[in-house]
Every structure is written in structure tokens, then in C-alpha cells.
């Protein structure tokens, strides 16, 4: 799994890429929690995530809950079909704000 | 002895007593004989003397001790040659006063040694008709230089006491040797017993019994549980008895135990054992052998029979059905590479399948009657209510009660499906792999996060192969990944070096994935999907599995421990 963090006009765009599974989710979790710690609104770009499992979803949930506690916005954007299927199965589509692309996500968090 | 001079007689008696003491306390009979010969020669006042003994074939007389000016120890003459040879053949002693008048006298020895033999006193060494050799004394010193009847009588007495000592010593040596052989045989038997499996708990489905006719046995049986709960078993009978058969048995039993751990198809396993044994077997030796695998979840035994007695299935209704061998015994011909022994699949349906060696059916009962196949069936029917170990022991007891010793090794093995059939009947219908099932792939993988991607790739491709749509293949991949994660994180938790066996099977319109781990058996009731309204990280995996798969269940824990999770997805 690879990742990229860009600051875009007062918001953080975190792009994850590759498989987020039991092996890589601890990294994903750290990246997401560190980003939330910077007190900026967050857009997680999941367009490059072809596979995510329950541990990956759990990392997203944890970061999301921490952002909410500190009053920061946290949205998912450009979720690949594969990842969306998992979020649907886990009923997390009702929990996360999911935007169709990063621009929409940025608009939503500002 | 009555003709002995009184004075000389006392002395002679002392000598007899002394020699008797020497012989009875000796550890080295040859040394004692040499000493005795010297004392006898001194007493009789002979110039020289020799003690000859027959070889094992009674063809040659060999000098084992000699006194006098020339040492002839090691000298060999034909058993009927010379004066000594005559004494041995006739089994009586004699005095030859003038050897030059005796055509039987062998001059060759004198020529060789330079000694001049004038007269000979000779007595056979024998106990009754058991001829051992002869003692010969040469040339009496002093007087007229002739031996007399007193000398002959004395020598006869001393010779018979020496003969008895030699015979005793030989018997003692033989006993020591026999004792050593017996102890070595005992050790071999102990090793052999250790090759047989430990007695299983009474409710274990497979049991066996083995009574060797001699100390060691050419029969064997073995069984062990595989990780997935199936039980692998074998029973074999090596041609012949005794040590060579026992050694062959050890090899066959070891091959079964070793190869059986990885080869779970009886026909293939037998083919492997056959080629291994045929490669090195002694000509003319072979093994009749049955190898099988029993699944308590289905009650089905799959087995292959190489030239062995037909197996007998005792059905719950009391009837018997038999399954004869389709292939020759193993060890005769190596066979073509990859050639398999045909397998027979038999549903036990609550019955018991018996394999046994001919030592059972050809064994004698206490009445002196041969047990026979009909007798064995009757015996098994009569004791059908007994627990299996008891039932087998009853048969063995009946055959060992006979006055006659066992004719042949007695070995029985039984696969009892009764308890498992009850479990199958009262429990939830256990889904099984029926004959229409096709194993797509079976692999063993370390239970670590690092291998999940590999598992996903394999499961995804396998799902596509059996006809799953792309989206179903992805879902199944996720479910299997989640199930493997549960094994890694919860079942093995802190146990290092865990492994998962993944088996992907297509059965009709179903894709079935069996995940077998070797962690401590878990209680399926503790594995629950979490409440999704409670939004928190973790615990989603089980929910995802149940959401995706049509059937999710833990199968009955294998005997060997561990867990088997069965996931089923209907292929649209």
C-alpha cells in the first residue's frame, strides 16, 4: 500500500493506493490518525484502493470517530467499486460521507 | 576298574575327583582339557598325549590339546583315520602294543614330527552315543614301555568324565547363545510393538489388535487421524514369519506412517508403498495390504486392497458384505510410475468394517476347530454389542486359548461407524463432500498477514474458474480473507508457526471453501457477528463472512484438534 498526503487550501487530501488488508491496515491507521491530529478537515481519496477488508474499514472508522470528536470533517471520496462494495456490506455507507470525487469532497469539508 | 591296583586306584580316584572339580568350575573348557590331558599323561606315565575332537560335521578329528615333545594342536585327520579315528568309530578304547603291527596306524604324523610312536593307549570321548572325540596316550615311560589294562580302564573313566564336561560346556554355551538370541528377539519385538499405534480411546472409530505367533510378527496395522479429522488406516501381512518378515513389516509400517501423512488417497498411497518396497524387497517376499481412509462426517471409507483377504462390512442389520482385493500384493513388481491401485468407496452407514489377516480365519479355537470366516462372522455378530476394543480382544483371546500355539500372527482392525452414525442422525445434517464434488485446489499456507494477498489471489481465481461472476468472486475472496484473518488473529493469536489448509471444492452448483487450522478447538458459539449499530472499529469480519456466504459453519472438530470452517457460496 502506498499513500500520498496533500494540503489543499486548508484541507488534507489523503490518497491511499493498493490493498488495505490485515498486513497494511496498521500503516493506514497510523497515516489517518496522524492526519486527523493535524486539526484539518480530511478527504480520503480511495480511488486507488482496489481491496479493503474489515481491518481497513476499521482504520477508517477509528480516524472518522477521532475527527468527529475534535469537530473536524472527514469524508471519503472517489471510492472504487470494490471498496464501496465492502463499505456497503459493512453498512458503513450510512456512516461515512461518501463523495464521488475529490473536488466534491473538498467542497463538502470546507 | 576292579582290576586297578589298590595303591594306584586311590591315586586314580583322586585324579578323577580333581578333574571333575576342574571341569565343573571352568570357564575355558579348552584350557581345562589341556591341563587334564597333562595330568592324565603324567599319571599313566605316557611320553606324549593328544586330545582330538570331531568337527561339527563329524568328518574331521582335530587336535585340541597335546603334551609331549611335539605340539600337534591344530593337526587334523579324517574322522576314521588312525587309532584315534578307530576309537571314535567303534566307540571303545584299546591298547595297541605295537603300532608297527597295526595297519590302521597313521605314520604320517610321526614322519612330520620326527617322533617315534611305539605303543598307543586310546579311549573315545563320548557320552552314550554322542561322540565327541578321543584321548590318545603314546609310549609308556619305564618298565616294559607297554600300557596295561589298568591304564586303559583309568583312561576310559577319565575320558568319559572329560566328555561329559565338554558336552556340558557346549550346552552351556548354546544356552548362553540362545539366551542372547532370545533377548535380542525380545528387543526386536519391543521395537515392533512400538510401531503399532497406541490403543485409542473406546469411542475412537478405529481399533486394532495384534498377537504374534512367534516373538516377532510379520503382520501390522496402524491408524492415525489427519488434521481434517479423517482417519487413515492400514493393515498388512508380510509373507513368511520370523525375523525377515518382521523386518519387512517394520519397513512397510514406517512407509505407511510417513507417506500416509501427506498422501491421502489410498490408491496412490499403496502405489507409492509398492514401488518403494519393490525397489528393495528380497525376492519372493511380498505384503498383502489394505489402506483406507475413513470420514466420520460421512461414514464413508475409501480403501484400496493389494492382494489381502476381503474386508468384511458388518451392517447394523446383522448382514455381512465383503470387498475383495483387485490388485496383487505390494512388493512384487514396481509397476508403472503413477499407476494407481483402484479405490473402493463404502458407506459404513453405522456398520463396522473389518480387515484381518489369515491368521485369524485359520486360527484354532480351544475346541481344536479352525475359526474360519463363518466362525469369525458368527463371533463378531455374537459380540456386536461389546465396545469395539473388547470385541477385537475377544477374537484374539479365543484364538490364543487353544492348546496348540498360534499357527500364524493374528491381526484384526476395525472401523466402527456406529457412534458417528448416531451423531450424524441426531446432529444437524452435516454437509459433506459427495462424489460429485471436485477439488479445485488444496493448499497449506502459513497463518500470517503476509500471505493473505496470496490467498486472495488464489481464491479469486478459483472462484472465477468454477464460474462465479466477477462480483461474486470478489465477495468470496473477501469472505475467505476475513475468515483467515479470524484464524490468524483469534485462533492462533499468540501461537507462532500456525498454518491454514485451504480447500476449494466445487460441488454441483456450490462453491465450497474449507478452512482448516490446527489451533486449539474454539467454541463456535463464541464466534458471533457484532451488532452493526454499534459503530466501532473491529469485529466486522464475521459479519462480512455471513453477509457474503450462503452457509457458514464450523464442522465437528477433527480428532486431531483444530477447527474446520466450511463456507458455501451458491454459484448463480
Amino acid at each position: 500500500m502506498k499513500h500520498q498526503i496533500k494540503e489543499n487550501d486548508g484541507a488534507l487530501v489523503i490518497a491511499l493506493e493498493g490493498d488495505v488488508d490485515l498486513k497494511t491496515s496498521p500503516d493506514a491507521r497510523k497515516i489517518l490518525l496522524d492526519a486527523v491530529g493535524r486539526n484539518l478537515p480530511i478527504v480520503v481519496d480511495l480511488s486507488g484502493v482496489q481491496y479493503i477488508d474489515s481491518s481497513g474499514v476499521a482504520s477508517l472508522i477509528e480516524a472518522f470517530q477521532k475527527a468527529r470528536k475534535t469537530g473536524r470533517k472527514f469524508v471519503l471520496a472517489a471510492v472504487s467499486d470494490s471498496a464501496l462494495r465492502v463499505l456497503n456490506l459493512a453498512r458503513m455507507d450510512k456512516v461515512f460521507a461518501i463523495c464521488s470525487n475529490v473536488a466534491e469532497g473538498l467542497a463538502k469539508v470546507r | 576298574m576292579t582290576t586297578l591296583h589298590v595303591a594306584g586306584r586311590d591315586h586314580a580316584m583322586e585324579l578323577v575327583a580333581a578333574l571333575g572339580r576342574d571341569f565343573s568350575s571352568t570357564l575355558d573348557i579348552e584350557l581345562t582339557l589341556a591341563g587334564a590331558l597333562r595330568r592324565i599323561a603324567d599319571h599313566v606315565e605316557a611320553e606324549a598325549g593328544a586330545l582330538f575332537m570331531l568337527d561339527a560335521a563329524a568328518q574331521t578329528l582335530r587336535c585340541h590339546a597335546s603334551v609331549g615333545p611335539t605340539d600337534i594342536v591344530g593337526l587334523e585327520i579324517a574322522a576314521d583315520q588312525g587309532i584315534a579315528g578307530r576309537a571314535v568309530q567303534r566307540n571303545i578304547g584299546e591298547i595297541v602294543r605295537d603300532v608297527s603291527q597295526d595297519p590302521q596306524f597313521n605314520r604320517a604324523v610321526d614322519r612330520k614330527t620326527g617322533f617315534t610312536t611305539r605303543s598307543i593307549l586310546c579311549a573315545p570321548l563320548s557320552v552314550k552315543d554322542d561322540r565327541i572325540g578321543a584321548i590318545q596316550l603314546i609310549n609308556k615311560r619305564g618298565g616294559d614301555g607297554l600300557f596295561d589294562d589298568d591304564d586303559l580302564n583309568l583312561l576310559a573313566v577319565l575320558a568319559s568324565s572329560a566328555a561329559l564336561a565338554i558336552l556340558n560346556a557346549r550346552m552351556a554355551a548354546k544356552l548362553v547363545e540362545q539366551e542372547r538370541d532370545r533377548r535380542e528377539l525380545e528387543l526386536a519385538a519391543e521395537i515392533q510393538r512400538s510401531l503399532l499405534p497406541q490403543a485409542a480411546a473406546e469411542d475412537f472409530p478405529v481399533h486394532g489388535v495384534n498377537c504374534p505367533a512367534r516373538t516377532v510378527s510379520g503382520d501390522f496395522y496402524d491408524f492415525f487421524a489427519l488434521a481434517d479429522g479423517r482417519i487413515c488406516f492400514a493393515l498388512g501381512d508380510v509373507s513368511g514369519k520370523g525375523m525377515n518378515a518382521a523386518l519387512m513389516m517394520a519397513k512397510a509400517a514406517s512407509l505407511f506412517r510417513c507417506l500416509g501423512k501427506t498422501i491421502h488417497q489410498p490408491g496412490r498411497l499403496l502405489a507409492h508403498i509398492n514401488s518403494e518396497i519393490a525397489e528393495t524387497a528380497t525376492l519372493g517376499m511380498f505384503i498383502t495390504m489394505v489402506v483406507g481412509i475413513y470420514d466420520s462426517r460421512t461414514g464413508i471409507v475409501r480403501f484400496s486392497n493389494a492382494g489381502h483377504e476381503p474386508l468384511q462390512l458388518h451392517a447394523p442389520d446383522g448382514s455381512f458384505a465383503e470387498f475383495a482385493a483387485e490388485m496383487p500384493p505390494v512388493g512384487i513388481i514396481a509397476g508403472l510410475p503413477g499407476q494407481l491401485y483402484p479405490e473402493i468407496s463404502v458407506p459404513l452407514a453405522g456398520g463396522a468394517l473389518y480387515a484381518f489377516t489369515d491368521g485369524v480365519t485359520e486360527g484354532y479355537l480351544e475346541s481344536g476347530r479352525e475359526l474360519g470366516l463363518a466362525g469369525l462372522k458368527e463371533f463378531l455378530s455374537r459380540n456386536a454389542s461389546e465396545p469395539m476394543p473388547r470385541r477385537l480382544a475377544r477374537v484374539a483371546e479365543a484364538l490364543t486359548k487353544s492348546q496348540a500355539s498360534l499357527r500364524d500372527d493374528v491381526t484384526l482392525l476395525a472401523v466402527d461407524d456406529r457412534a458417528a452414525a448416531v451423531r450424524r442422525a441426531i446432529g444437524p445434517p452435516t454437509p459433506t463432500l459427495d462424489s460429485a464434488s471436485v477439488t479445485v485446489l488444496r493448499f497449506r499456507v502459513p497463518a500470517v498477514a503476509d500471505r493473505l494477498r496470496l490467498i486472495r489471489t488464489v481464491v479469486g481465481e478459483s472462484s472465477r474458474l468454477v464460474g462465479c461472476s466477477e462480483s461474486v468472486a470478489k465477495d468470496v475472496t473477501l469472505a475467505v480473507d476475513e475468515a483467515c484473518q479470524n484464524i490468524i488473529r483469534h485462533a492462533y493469536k499468540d501461537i507462532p508457526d500456525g498454518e491454514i489448509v485451504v480447500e476449494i471444492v466445487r460441488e454441483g452448483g456450490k462453491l465450497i471453501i474449507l478452512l482448516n487450522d490446527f489451533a486449539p478447538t474454539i467454541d463456535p458459539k463464541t464466534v458471533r457477528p457484532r451488532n452493526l449499530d454499534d459503530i466501532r472499529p473491529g469485529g466486522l469480519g464475521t459479519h462480512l463472512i455471513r453477509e457474503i456466504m450462503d452457509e457458514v459453519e464450523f464442522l465437528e472438530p477433527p480428532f486431531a484438534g483444530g477447527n474446520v470452517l466450511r463456507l458455501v457460496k451458491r454459484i448463480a
Side-chain angles (χ1 to χ4, degrees), chain B residues 182-193:
Chain B
R182 196 190 61 76
R183 233 176 314 157
E184 284 192 357
L185 211 58
E186 216 26 83
L187 283 175
E190 202 177 306
I191 298 282
Q192 219 181 15
R193 279 192 294 274

PDB file of all heavy atoms in Angstrom, chain B residues 182-193:
ATOM      1  N   ARG B 182      17.393 -64.861  22.359  1.00  0.00           N
ATOM      2  CA  ARG B 182      16.054 -64.612  22.895  1.00  0.00           C
ATOM      3  C   ARG B 182      15.916 -63.151  23.316  1.00  0.00           C
ATOM      4  O   ARG B 182      14.911 -62.505  23.059  1.00  0.00           O
ATOM      5  CB  ARG B 182      15.803 -65.529  24.102  1.00  0.00           C
ATOM      6  CG  ARG B 182      14.339 -65.645  24.506  1.00  0.00           C
ATOM      7  CD  ARG B 182      14.209 -66.353  25.842  1.00  0.00           C
ATOM      8  NE  ARG B 182      14.885 -65.642  26.909  1.00  0.00           N
ATOM      9  CZ  ARG B 182      14.415 -64.541  27.486  1.00  0.00           C
ATOM     10  NH1 ARG B 182      13.278 -64.035  27.098  1.00  0.00           N
ATOM     11  NH2 ARG B 182      15.098 -63.934  28.438  1.00  0.00           N
ATOM     12  N   ARG B 183      16.968 -62.634  23.966  1.00  0.00           N
ATOM     13  CA  ARG B 183      16.920 -61.255  24.433  1.00  0.00           C
ATOM     14  C   ARG B 183      16.887 -60.289  23.239  1.00  0.00           C
ATOM     15  O   ARG B 183      16.173 -59.302  23.257  1.00  0.00           O
ATOM     16  CB  ARG B 183      18.103 -60.947  25.340  1.00  0.00           C
ATOM     17  CG  ARG B 183      17.620 -60.364  26.658  1.00  0.00           C
ATOM     18  CD  ARG B 183      18.748 -60.121  27.624  1.00  0.00           C
ATOM     19  NE  ARG B 183      19.650 -61.270  27.682  1.00  0.00           N
ATOM     20  CZ  ARG B 183      20.912 -61.186  28.085  1.00  0.00           C
ATOM     21  NH1 ARG B 183      21.414 -60.030  28.438  1.00  0.00           N
ATOM     22  NH2 ARG B 183      21.677 -62.253  28.131  1.00  0.00           N
ATOM     23  N   GLU B 184      17.642 -60.624  22.208  1.00  0.00           N
ATOM     24  CA  GLU B 184      17.641 -59.761  21.019  1.00  0.00           C
ATOM     25  C   GLU B 184      16.288 -59.802  20.327  1.00  0.00           C
ATOM     26  O   GLU B 184      15.794 -58.793  19.851  1.00  0.00           O
ATOM     27  CB  GLU B 184      18.761 -60.179  20.059  1.00  0.00           C
ATOM     28  CG  GLU B 184      20.093 -59.697  20.573  1.00  0.00           C
ATOM     29  CD  GLU B 184      21.206 -59.815  19.560  1.00  0.00           C
ATOM     30  OE1 GLU B 184      20.957 -60.330  18.466  1.00  0.00           O
ATOM     31  OE2 GLU B 184      22.314 -59.396  19.904  1.00  0.00           O
ATOM     32  N   LEU B 185      15.696 -60.976  20.314  1.00  0.00           N
ATOM     33  CA  LEU B 185      14.377 -61.130  19.716  1.00  0.00           C
ATOM     34  C   LEU B 185      13.350 -60.327  20.511  1.00  0.00           C
ATOM     35  O   LEU B 185      12.458 -59.681  19.960  1.00  0.00           O
ATOM     36  CB  LEU B 185      14.005 -62.620  19.732  1.00  0.00           C
ATOM     37  CG  LEU B 185      13.121 -63.109  18.607  1.00  0.00           C
ATOM     38  CD1 LEU B 185      13.755 -62.843  17.261  1.00  0.00           C
ATOM     39  CD2 LEU B 185      12.830 -64.586  18.781  1.00  0.00           C
ATOM     40  N   GLU B 186      13.513 -60.378  21.838  1.00  0.00           N
ATOM     41  CA  GLU B 186      12.632 -59.643  22.748  1.00  0.00           C
ATOM     42  C   GLU B 186      12.723 -58.135  22.445  1.00  0.00           C
ATOM     43  O   GLU B 186      11.712 -57.448  22.388  1.00  0.00           O
ATOM     44  CB  GLU B 186      13.102 -59.949  24.175  1.00  0.00           C
ATOM     45  CG  GLU B 186      12.072 -60.077  25.268  1.00  0.00           C
ATOM     46  CD  GLU B 186      10.692 -60.495  24.832  1.00  0.00           C
ATOM     47  OE1 GLU B 186      10.427 -61.694  24.662  1.00  0.00           O
ATOM     48  OE2 GLU B 186       9.867 -59.585  24.654  1.00  0.00           O
ATOM     49  N   LEU B 187      13.958 -57.670  22.234  1.00  0.00           N
ATOM     50  CA  LEU B 187      14.166 -56.249  21.913  1.00  0.00           C
ATOM     51  C   LEU B 187      13.515 -55.913  20.568  1.00  0.00           C
ATOM     52  O   LEU B 187      12.872 -54.874  20.424  1.00  0.00           O
ATOM     53  CB  LEU B 187      15.661 -55.927  21.844  1.00  0.00           C
ATOM     54  CG  LEU B 187      16.370 -55.797  23.187  1.00  0.00           C
ATOM     55  CD1 LEU B 187      17.861 -55.613  22.963  1.00  0.00           C
ATOM     56  CD2 LEU B 187      15.823 -54.618  23.983  1.00  0.00           C
ATOM     57  N   ALA B 188      13.695 -56.822  19.607  1.00  0.00           N
ATOM     58  CA  ALA B 188      13.097 -56.591  18.282  1.00  0.00           C
ATOM     59  C   ALA B 188      11.579 -56.515  18.411  1.00  0.00           C
ATOM     60  O   ALA B 188      10.927 -55.667  17.804  1.00  0.00           O
ATOM     61  CB  ALA B 188      13.502 -57.706  17.323  1.00  0.00           C
ATOM     62  N   ALA B 189      11.035 -57.416  19.237  1.00  0.00           N
ATOM     63  CA  ALA B 189       9.577 -57.438  19.428  1.00  0.00           C
ATOM     64  C   ALA B 189       9.099 -56.135  20.057  1.00  0.00           C
ATOM     65  O   ALA B 189       8.049 -55.602  19.718  1.00  0.00           O
ATOM     66  CB  ALA B 189       9.183 -58.623  20.294  1.00  0.00           C
ATOM     67  N   GLU B 190       9.927 -55.628  20.987  1.00  0.00           N
ATOM     68  CA  GLU B 190       9.561 -54.385  21.668  1.00  0.00           C
ATOM     69  C   GLU B 190       9.508 -53.227  20.666  1.00  0.00           C
ATOM     70  O   GLU B 190       8.573 -52.439  20.659  1.00  0.00           O
ATOM     71  CB  GLU B 190      10.584 -54.109  22.759  1.00  0.00           C
ATOM     72  CG  GLU B 190      10.085 -53.197  23.848  1.00  0.00           C
ATOM     73  CD  GLU B 190      11.146 -53.042  24.924  1.00  0.00           C
ATOM     74  OE1 GLU B 190      11.607 -54.072  25.446  1.00  0.00           O
ATOM     75  OE2 GLU B 190      11.530 -51.894  25.189  1.00  0.00           O
ATOM     76  N   ILE B 191      10.536 -53.173  19.792  1.00  0.00           N
ATOM     77  CA  ILE B 191      10.554 -52.142  18.750  1.00  0.00           C
ATOM     78  C   ILE B 191       9.329 -52.305  17.871  1.00  0.00           C
ATOM     79  O   ILE B 191       8.666 -51.339  17.498  1.00  0.00           O
ATOM     80  CB  ILE B 191      11.827 -52.278  17.875  1.00  0.00           C
ATOM     81  CG1 ILE B 191      13.075 -52.085  18.712  1.00  0.00           C
ATOM     82  CG2 ILE B 191      11.799 -51.323  16.700  1.00  0.00           C
ATOM     83  CD1 ILE B 191      13.429 -50.683  19.057  1.00  0.00           C
ATOM     84  N   GLN B 192       9.036 -53.573  17.566  1.00  0.00           N
ATOM     85  CA  GLN B 192       7.914 -53.826  16.675  1.00  0.00           C
ATOM     86  C   GLN B 192       6.593 -53.402  17.302  1.00  0.00           C
ATOM     87  O   GLN B 192       5.758 -52.805  16.626  1.00  0.00           O
ATOM     88  CB  GLN B 192       7.881 -55.312  16.351  1.00  0.00           C
ATOM     89  CG  GLN B 192       7.515 -55.510  14.930  1.00  0.00           C
ATOM     90  CD  GLN B 192       7.439 -56.948  14.538  1.00  0.00           C
ATOM     91  OE1 GLN B 192       7.389 -57.853  15.362  1.00  0.00           O
ATOM     92  NE2 GLN B 192       7.392 -57.141  13.255  1.00  0.00           N
ATOM     93  N   ARG B 193       6.442 -53.672  18.574  1.00  0.00           N
ATOM     94  CA  ARG B 193       5.208 -53.247  19.246  1.00  0.00           C
ATOM     95  C   ARG B 193       5.083 -51.743  19.210  1.00  0.00           C
ATOM     96  O   ARG B 193       4.005 -51.198  19.084  1.00  0.00           O
ATOM     97  CB  ARG B 193       5.185 -53.758  20.697  1.00  0.00           C
ATOM     98  CG  ARG B 193       4.745 -55.201  20.814  1.00  0.00           C
ATOM     99  CD  ARG B 193       4.446 -55.564  22.261  1.00  0.00           C
ATOM    100  NE  ARG B 193       5.639 -55.539  23.097  1.00  0.00           N
ATOM    101  CZ  ARG B 193       6.477 -56.564  23.237  1.00  0.00           C
ATOM    102  NH1 ARG B 193       6.237 -57.678  22.588  1.00  0.00           N
ATOM    103  NH2 ARG B 193       7.530 -56.475  24.005  1.00  0.00           N
TER     104      ARG B 193
END
